[in-house]
Amino acid sequence: MEVATATEASAPAASGAAARQNHPFPWLEAAISEPYYFLHLLAFFSYFAARSAALAAADGGELHDRLLRREIQAVLVFLVLFVVKIVREETWETSIADSLLYAKGLLLAVTLVIDYWLALGYFLGFVVIYAVAQQPPYDGLGHSSHLTPLQLESLLTEEPTSRFWLVEFRTSFSATCIQASGVLPELSIIYSNKNISFGIIDLGHFPNAAAKFGISMWDHLPTYILFDKATEVARFPEVTSESKVFVPKVTKKLLCQHFDLDRRLIEYLST
């Protein structure tokens, strides 16, 4: 029953990923098909209608000049912040989430020039979008596999095909998990071999499995555990008093160093 549930849950995501890969403009397909992106596009494009209506009602050049100056300032600030994010962040999911946050803040600042009630309306609209839609996770798997807890247990104990398994435990409702969802698949492309395999378990489908692996559903997600056959040899974040206060942002470099993936790859290649 557990295996069937996981298969059914992952089927829509897999079909959606395949459809976007076959689409000539995958970013356009995602913008239209994903409610999170589509609702944000509607909100941003509605500004042009609100702007035209406000200028027509004002019937004066002073508002136009002030608004144009604020718009130019907002665009320049956004471009600077966007470029910084693109350079510093490893995943598109994090870059997109932060860029949308900047864009919403700057849009509110611009609409304050037109009317306070308009700015309040946009603020409430963004709150509604946050409540009804969530950012989609990275839709690629690389060389990793979606697993159920039973499948993982079987892979670790019953004639394991790989000595090591690096498994990500995450949920689809966590913004942190969504923004880090591309890290493990990209690592799997580089480091997957006969000695180490990569897997993903969605604890949103299997919440009872969290206690079994010593994972809290309310913090420290995503959690990454490296298994040597059926034995846990390392995890991130570690269960310490310091990790409860501060957890570093998940990056490919951090996981690579924490689990010593380069050394394990060299050892495999040298055998």
Side-chain angles (χ1 to χ4, degrees):
M1 180 64 69
E2 191 173 81
V3 174
T5 303
T7 304
E8 293 170 3
S10 61
S15 62
R20 278 192 286 276
Q21 289 174 355
N22 295 329
H23 198 279
F25 302 102
W27 57 270
L28 181 60
E29 172 71 11
I32 296 175
S33 62
E34 295 290 350
Y36 178 83
Y37 297 132
F38 182 69
L39 292 175
H40 277 95
L41 280 178
L42 285 181
F44 290 131
F45 278 108
S46 69
Y47 168 75
F48 296 103
R51 182 185 193 277
S52 299
L55 292 178
D59 194 24
E62 182 180 352
L63 176 61
H64 177 273
D65 293 340
R66 286 193 297 116
L67 188 58
L68 183 60
R69 286 197 299 270
R70 183 63 62 86
E71 288 170 342
I72 292 174
Q73 293 170 351
V75 169
L76 292 176
V77 170
F78 176 78
L79 290 176
V80 171
L81 293 174
F82 179 75
V83 170
V84 170
K85 274 295 172 185
I86 290 295
V87 172
R88 294 182 59 184
E89 297 295 343
E90 286 192 338
T91 67
W92 275 106
E93 286 69 32
T94 303
S95 297
I96 291 173
D98 291 342
S99 296
L100 284 176
L101 179 63
Y102 300 149
K104 288 183 282 191
L106 293 170
L107 179 62
L108 293 177
V110 171
T111 53
L112 283 172
V113 176
I114 300 176
D115 184 72
Y116 290 103
W117 289 106
L118 178 63
L120 179 60
Y122 272 105
F123 175 78
L124 294 177
F126 291 137
V127 171
V128 171
I129 292 175
Y130 177 81
V132 303
Q134 67 176 14
Q135 182 181 3
Y138 180 79
D139 57 11
L141 282 176
H143 295 158
S144 62
S145 305
H146 280 298
L147 302 173
T148 70
L150 284 181
Q151 287 174 330
L152 176 61
E153 183 177 355
S154 175
L155 290 169
L156 294 176
T157 59
E158 300 175 6
E159 297 182 2
T161 56
S162 298
R163 176 184 173 183
F164 296 101
W165 272 89
L166 180 55
V167 183
E168 175 186 6
F169 296 85
R170 68 190 190 193
T171 62
S172 57
F173 54 78
S174 166
T176 305
C177 292
I178 291 172
Q179 293 175 21
S181 58
V183 174
L184 189 82
E186 292 180 2
L187 280 178
S188 71
I189 296 174
I190 303 172
Y191 295 101
S192 179
N193 55 63
K194 293 181 180 179
N195 198 42
I196 182 169
S197 298
F198 295 78
I200 299 169
I201 293 181
D202 190 339
L203 293 178
H205 297 143
F206 311 101
N208 293 333
K212 178 179 180 180
F213 293 101
I215 299 171
S216 171
M217 291 285 288
W218 305 111
D219 56 8
H220 291 184
L221 286 178
T223 291
Y224 301 84
I225 301 180
L226 179 66
F227 296 95
D228 182 349
K229 297 182 179 179
T231 304
E232 176 184 329
V233 294
R235 76 161 56 199
F236 177 85
E238 297 176 340
V239 184
T240 63
S241 58
E242 291 183 0
S243 67
K244 294 181 179 180
V245 178
F246 173 73
V247 178
K249 180 177 289 188
V250 176
T251 64
K252 288 182 286 187
K253 181 179 179 180
L254 185 149
L255 292 184
C256 182
Q257 294 177 344
H258 187 82
F259 295 109
D260 210 0
L261 296 181
D262 285 323
R263 180 181 63 81
R264 300 182 195 281
L265 178 61
I266 293 173
E267 289 178 351
Y268 168 74
L269 293 176
S270 62
T271 57

